[in-house]
Amino acid sequence: MTARRYAVYFAPRPESRLGQCGSAWLGRDAVTNSSCPQPSLPADVPVDLAVATARPRHYGFHATLKAPFHLHGNCTEAALIRAAQALCTRHEAFSITLEVGELDGFIALLPKSPTNALDHLAAGCVRELDAFRAPLTDTDRRRRDAARLPPRQRALFEQWGYPHVLDAFRFHMTLSERLPDGPRQRLYAVAEAYFEPALRGETTPVDSICLFREATPGGMFSLLQRIDFTPRNAPPHEFV
């Protein structure tokens, strides 16, 4: 299958301090699909940041709400956008508090506490947009190493195309590849200091979802469209 893939992400607004810090950390702005300088690491940190962020950089600074998928054969990009817009009428803005943490051997930004609104949003993206996802292929199963997944995650993968959804969902904004304990701990300390100005005393608004798309089949993911939450009962915009 050579068609481009799509994904539904949370991504901070590019003008926000968090958005700017995250793009610089990964070395790529997914809005403009362009590279940007990464911060320099202290000499005593045994990590090449460009290498340690290679896979996250491919997808851009984000948290996954619906994992990358090929469009079903009878669906169009325009229809996917309309469905995402309809989904956004059923959600209202909320905020989360993030911190640098570790998850399964990699560094990520994680919520400090569970948020029902966040889980509800992710579940809605998975369920309501799944009609647009092409069926899994044997290549998909091999890539995910599906046979080795725990039974619950294997069932979620077969049903929804991704094993970390619904009750297995955990919001995270990936900051590194999986790293050995020593280098990871050193990079973790650097990431804490680096993101501290963007996170200290700040909450992160979740007021939109972002449709991302591969620039070319197999290429980098970049922003296709940001869709703001607009409740159905919101008053109409006034134009002056």
Side-chain angles (χ1 to χ4, degrees):
M1 186 177 292
T2 58
R4 293 189 292 191
R5 291 183 298 164
Y6 296 79
V8 185
Y9 291 158
F10 163 76
R13 295 186 183 272
E15 67 273 14
S16 69
R17 180 177 288 187
L18 180 59
Q20 293 171 357
C21 286
S23 293
W25 178 267
L26 297 184
R28 177 173 168 263
D29 183 337
V31 175
T32 61
N33 195 25
S34 59
S35 60
C36 48
Q38 291 183 282
S40 299
L41 301 186
D44 62 347
V45 177
V47 175
D48 182 329
L49 188 59
V51 174
T53 56
R55 184 170 175 79
R57 182 165 54 252
H58 182 92
Y59 295 97
F61 185 53
H62 77 281
T64 299
L65 299 174
K66 187 169 182 63
F69 59 93
H70 291 98
L71 280 181
H72 196 287
N74 60 359
C75 297
T76 65
E77 180 180 287
L80 174 63
I81 292 172
R82 289 194 298 271
Q85 290 170 334
L87 182 151
C88 285
T89 67
R90 296 186 282 278
H91 293 274
E92 296 183 353
F94 58 96
S95 295
I96 56 177
T97 302
L98 296 171
E99 62 184 352
V100 176
E102 297 182 33
L103 183 65
D104 296 336
F106 58 86
I107 301 168
L109 297 184
L110 306 173
K112 282 190 174 181
S113 58
T115 305
N116 288 337
L118 192 55
D119 294 341
H120 179 61
L121 173 62
C125 291
V126 168
R127 289 187 170 114
E128 295 181 42
L129 301 178
D130 203 57
F132 291 88
R133 178 178 60 84
L136 289 172
T137 65
D138 289 340
T139 299
D140 295 327
R141 293 181 176 90
R142 287 193 297 271
R143 183 186 301 116
R144 181 58 59 180
D145 202 5
R148 292 178 175 270
L149 290 171
R152 175 57 179 160
Q153 291 187 359
R154 173 71 182 271
L156 291 170
F157 173 69
E158 290 293 338
Q159 184 171 4
W160 303 108
Y162 193 60
H164 307 294
V165 297
L166 306 181
D167 56 286
F169 170 71
R170 188 169 182 185
F171 179 98
H172 61 279
M173 306 186 74
T174 306
L175 301 178
S176 77
E177 306 269 8
R178 284 187 172 84
L179 297 170
D181 289 348
R184 187 177 70 252
Q185 291 168 6
R186 300 296 293 276
L187 188 61
Y188 178 96
V190 174
E192 274 194 313
Y194 177 80
F195 281 96
E196 194 265 348
L199 300 179
R200 179 187 58 219
E202 299 286 339
T203 59
T204 298
V206 181
D207 55 8
S208 61
I209 62 174
C210 292
L211 289 178
F212 273 52
R213 179 182 65 186
E214 286 179 323
T216 57
M220 298 281 196
F221 275 76
S222 56
L223 179 68
L224 170 63
Q225 185 165 330
R226 180 183 296 273
I227 304 171
D228 293 338
F229 298 159
T230 309
R232 286 193 179 114
N233 59 358
H237 292 292
E238 293 185 5
F239 299 92
V240 178

